[in-house]
PDB file of all heavy atoms in Angstrom:
ATOM      1  N   CYS A 103      87.722 103.479 113.111  1.00  0.00           N
ATOM      2  CA  CYS A 103      88.328 102.642 111.983  1.00  0.00           C
ATOM      3  C   CYS A 103      88.183 101.210 112.209  1.00  0.00           C
ATOM      4  O   CYS A 103      88.410 100.758 113.337  1.00  0.00           O
ATOM      5  CB  CYS A 103      89.791 103.022 111.979  1.00  0.00           C
ATOM      6  SG  CYS A 103      90.798 101.883 110.958  1.00  0.00           S
ATOM      7  N   TYR A 113      96.923 101.713 112.018  1.00  0.00           N
ATOM      8  CA  TYR A 113      97.804 102.955 112.118  1.00  0.00           C
ATOM      9  C   TYR A 113      96.862 104.144 111.879  1.00  0.00           C
ATOM     10  O   TYR A 113      95.935 104.009 111.038  1.00  0.00           O
ATOM     11  CB  TYR A 113      98.881 102.823 110.944  1.00  0.00           C
ATOM     12  CG  TYR A 113      99.590 101.591 110.820  1.00  0.00           C
ATOM     13  CD1 TYR A 113      98.959 100.402 110.239  1.00  0.00           C
ATOM     14  CD2 TYR A 113     100.910 101.419 111.267  1.00  0.00           C
ATOM     15  CE1 TYR A 113      99.673  99.256 110.145  1.00  0.00           C
ATOM     16  CE2 TYR A 113     101.580 100.377 111.117  1.00  0.00           C
ATOM     17  CZ  TYR A 113     100.975  99.274 110.619  1.00  0.00           C
ATOM     18  OH  TYR A 113     101.621  98.048 110.466  1.00  0.00           O
ATOM     19  N   SER A 118      97.653 116.793 105.804  1.00  0.00           N
ATOM     20  CA  SER A 118      97.387 118.242 105.751  1.00  0.00           C
ATOM     21  C   SER A 118      98.091 118.735 104.551  1.00  0.00           C
ATOM     22  O   SER A 118      99.160 118.155 104.136  1.00  0.00           O
ATOM     23  CB  SER A 118      97.683 119.155 106.944  1.00  0.00           C
ATOM     24  OG  SER A 118      98.982 118.903 107.330  1.00  0.00           O
ATOM     25  N   GLU A 142      99.377 115.850 122.449  1.00  0.00           N
ATOM     26  CA  GLU A 142      98.797 115.286 123.697  1.00  0.00           C
ATOM     27  C   GLU A 142      97.387 115.425 123.732  1.00  0.00           C
ATOM     28  O   GLU A 142      96.638 114.655 124.472  1.00  0.00           O
ATOM     29  CB  GLU A 142      99.524 116.053 124.858  1.00  0.00           C
ATOM     30  CG  GLU A 142     100.861 115.709 125.147  1.00  0.00           C
ATOM     31  CD  GLU A 142     101.506 116.255 126.407  1.00  0.00           C
ATOM     32  OE1 GLU A 142     100.606 116.756 127.208  1.00  0.00           O
ATOM     33  OE2 GLU A 142     102.657 116.245 126.565  1.00  0.00           O
ATOM     34  N   GLY A 164      93.933 124.430 113.341  1.00  0.00           N
ATOM     35  CA  GLY A 164      95.076 123.771 112.573  1.00  0.00           C
ATOM     36  C   GLY A 164      94.924 122.243 112.655  1.00  0.00           C
ATOM     37  O   GLY A 164      95.672 121.509 111.924  1.00  0.00           O
ATOM     38  N   ASP A 165      93.867 121.787 113.297  1.00  0.00           N
ATOM     39  CA  ASP A 165      93.665 120.319 113.302  1.00  0.00           C
ATOM     40  C   ASP A 165      92.834 119.867 112.003  1.00  0.00           C
ATOM     41  O   ASP A 165      92.633 118.661 111.783  1.00  0.00           O
ATOM     42  CB  ASP A 165      92.945 119.872 114.523  1.00  0.00           C
ATOM     43  CG  ASP A 165      93.703 120.145 115.831  1.00  0.00           C
ATOM     44  OD1 ASP A 165      95.049 120.162 115.809  1.00  0.00           O
ATOM     45  OD2 ASP A 165      93.105 120.517 116.912  1.00  0.00           O
TER      46      ASP A 165
END
Side-chain angles (χ1 to χ4, degrees):
Chain A
C103 167
Y113 314 77
S118 59
E142 286 191 11
D165 297 328

